[in-house]
Amino acid sequence: MSVYDKLKALNITLAAPATPAAAYVMYAQTGNLVFLSGHISKNADGSVNAGLLGRDKTTEQGKAAARAVAVDLIGTLQAAVGGDLNRVKRIVKVMSLVASTPDYTEQHLVTNGCSELLGEVFGDAGKHARSAFGVSSLPLGACVEIELIAEVA
């Protein structure tokens, strides 16, 4: 099953990449590696999904936010590979920042929302190395920010 068949089966429609909010680009490629800038969590209406895990959001809400970020990352990755996600050889690394209270310790479970979707969409090529950090705040008050590195053909 192609990546696009998997996206269709999951009822996922990819949007065009967001416009950078500051002095950076949404992705950069060197050799066969594509580095995607951090993408923040957004609600269905495009507004920022804000709040702190452990205070304003549950782990399940954070996991859903991370899954939504993964959809945005895949959309940006599609633009980076000239519109053909079948060029993705492997998702190499995911780094997740989770806005959370000092005593919150489930950042890894929140990040699973992203990691699990990448596995569903890319299969074995979606298995990746990963870091998940708890931070006191993120741009615009977002609850989750995730960046990604992919190897492409």
Side-chain angles (χ1 to χ4, degrees):
M1 185 179 264
S2 80
V3 170
Y4 293 101
D5 291 336
K6 291 175 188 176
L7 288 168
K8 186 175 181 180
L10 292 166
N11 200 30
I12 293 174
T13 302
L14 300 177
T19 302
Y24 64 92
V25 294
M26 293 306 291
Y27 59 87
Q29 182 171 350
T30 183
N32 289 343
L33 295 178
V34 175
F35 295 77
L36 301 188
S37 293
H39 286 50
I40 61 172
S41 54
K42 295 182 181 171
N43 296 308
D45 66 2
S47 63
V48 175
N49 186 344
L52 287 180
L53 277 289
R55 185 188 74 192
D56 309 311
K57 302 253 182 224
T58 65
T59 298
E60 283 305 310
Q61 289 171 318
K63 186 175 179 180
R67 183 178 175 91
V69 172
V71 172
D72 289 344
L73 286 164
I74 295 168
T76 299
L77 185 56
Q78 178 175 250
V81 295
D84 184 7
L85 285 170
N86 292 307
R87 288 186 51 213
V88 175
K89 291 178 70 176
R90 177 160 198 165
I91 304 300
V92 176
K93 173 94 189 247
V94 165
M95 188 179 78
S96 173
L97 305 170
V98 180
S100 51
T101 60
D103 60 339
Y104 184 80
T105 60
E106 296 186 341
Q107 291 85 358
H108 61 294
L109 299 177
V110 168
T111 306
N112 281 346
C114 176
S115 295
E116 291 168 0
L117 181 63
L118 293 172
E120 288 178 68
V121 172
F122 293 102
D124 283 342
K127 294 178 182 176
H128 53 272
R130 182 179 97 175
S131 300
F133 299 95
V135 297
S136 62
S137 67
L138 288 168
L140 305 175
C143 64
V144 178
E145 179 176 358
I146 303 174
E147 64 179 50
L148 180 148
I149 302 168
E151 179 186 10
V152 299

